[in-house]
Amino acid sequence: MRTRTKLVNLGRNPQRFEGVVNTPIVRGSTLLSPTLAHWQEKNRQHAADEFGASIYGRFGTATHHALQEALTELSGGYRTMLYPSGLAALANVLTALVEAGDHILLTDSAYAATSQFLQTTLARFNVSFTRYAPGIGAEIRELIQPNTRVVLVESPGSETFELQDIPAIAKEAHAAGAFVVMDNTWATPLFFDAFKHGVDVAVQAATKYIVGHSDAMLGVATCNQRAWPAIRDSSQNFGQTCSPDDAYLALRGLRTMEVRLRQHWASGVQVAQWLESRPEVERVLHPALPSHPDHELWKRDFTGAPGLFAMALKPIPEQALHAFIDALQLFGLGVSWGGYESLALPFSPVGREYTAWPYAGPGVRLHIGLEDPLDLIADLENGFIAIQNSQASLRQEEVVLA
Ligand SMILES: *Cc1c(COP(=O)(O)O)cnc(C)c1O
């Protein structure tokens, strides 16, 4: 099956549920057995394969297992664990793979909450970490210590959108016996085949493109066979689970994911190219544009680009940035992304060692949703007019004050 056919068919077995097309929401804590022999047999099956039989709601019901199977098959991994958020997935995966005294290599462009977790929680358990420049490639070899257990990659990086040479990094990490954990939320398995590129654990905030409608929090970690036992055991020890309702929303999101992502991609590139022509914009940071410094890597390793990218505006007073954002009618102002709706969020990267913001003006992260891109362009144009008006009124105030 090709990807689109997989997305329609994975995790569904209508005959098991009275013929309904979608795997239903199976709510349950207690799962009853009619006889002790049945109970013992189910426990044996569960011990042999945690997806072989459900014995308790915390280990998932048919809804969870359908999503886990679908994600595993879609990503080409071995098994998938579910978590109540993307951050919970990252925190649990990192915790599962290390012990006191171990060391983690972290891309400087990582999602800020991932860095925070290493800096605060894991540090309390004597797990140290070193940041590395996202473009490091095979030279990561020089940063690997005897106790390095995990190399965390995220490509493109949060906010700044640097790509990473993941096969080169994975080769060095594996030579040293370390695991490669990737935050693959941006590309998803549709646009980046993590396992083919040497990743051991592919984490996604399913909150974003898998759910796709801004109405649930969910994290997933798909593992290869080497990483799975540690991640399963540790995550189960922490009692990690998610609601069957949210698993259902993720399954429903999968059905349309390819169609949505293809549109996010096309519209995103259209808006990004228009922005490149605007005098108010210093730089557009979109890996699918030839102007992106890592565009060749994108062409080599990725099969698409979703709707999330950033731009650096030319320097403007704070008041003009407010005027720009407040003038936008179609772009919502808020965190997260990956829903059907467009978002615009000013940012300035903090806590970075290697990837300081080199632009004098502010950064704005854009999520291009499923609206007509021409309407989005018109909305941004209104925003730019608001910048000009704000600067004109500032100049008038100066004249009056003078
Ligand atoms: C949103 C996000 C996360 C965290 O996911 P939550 O579901 O919000 O916890 C992790 N990594 C990246 C790249 C994200 O964008």
Side-chain angles (χ1 to χ4, degrees), residues 94-289:
L94 292 171
T95 306
L97 297 177
V98 295
E99 42 191 78
D102 281 348
H103 174 249
I104 294 175
L105 282 168
L106 174 75
T107 175
D108 198 36
S109 55
Y111 183 65
T114 308
S115 309
Q116 173 99 352
F117 178 73
L118 293 179
Q119 242 160 25
T120 55
T121 305
L122 276 191
R124 284 199 289 118
F125 298 97
N126 191 26
V127 174
S128 61
F129 76 101
T130 307
R131 292 173 171 277
Y132 65 87
I136 195 164
E139 279 162 41
I140 198 152
R141 172 186 335 115
E142 280 147 42
L143 297 182
I144 294 176
Q145 304 174 11
N147 58 343
T148 302
R149 290 293 288 157
V150 174
V151 177
L152 193 132
V153 296
E154 184 178 326
S155 183
S158 277
E159 296 179 335
T160 42
F161 291 87
E162 304 87 347
L163 296 190
Q164 298 197 258
D165 190 341
I166 292 174
I169 292 174
K171 191 163 163 256
E172 300 303 327
H174 290 155
F179 287 97
V180 178
V181 173
M182 176 173 193
D183 185 333
N184 197 24
T185 301
W186 185 82
T188 83
L190 300 194
F191 290 160
F192 184 79
D193 184 340
F195 294 100
K196 196 183 99 189
H197 290 92
V199 169
D200 300 295
V201 185
V203 176
Q204 280 175 91
T207 310
K208 314 285 168 60
Y209 282 125
I210 295 178
V211 167
H213 292 70
S214 306
D215 51 5
M217 303 293 300
L218 192 68
V220 309
T222 303
C223 307
N224 64 11
Q225 211 162 347
R226 176 178 166 231
W228 173 248
I231 288 173
R232 174 200 54 206
D233 293 349
S234 177
S235 302
Q236 287 183 349
N237 287 345
F238 277 111
Q240 291 297 314
T241 185
C242 71
S243 90
D245 304 64
D246 293 342
Y248 179 90
L249 289 174
L251 275 167
R252 190 156 83 166
L254 282 182
R255 309 302 171 205
T256 58
M257 190 170 158
E258 202 272 347
V259 185
R260 285 186 285 112
L261 282 190
R262 206 145 29 96
Q263 189 60 54
H264 285 296
W265 179 10
S267 299
V269 167
Q270 189 175 340
V271 174
Q273 282 174 332
W274 177 79
L275 287 168
E276 278 200 319
S277 73
R278 291 295 307 198
E280 299 86 352
V281 177
E282 178 74 42
R283 194 91 162 89
V284 177
L285 302 166
H286 190 309
L289 294 189

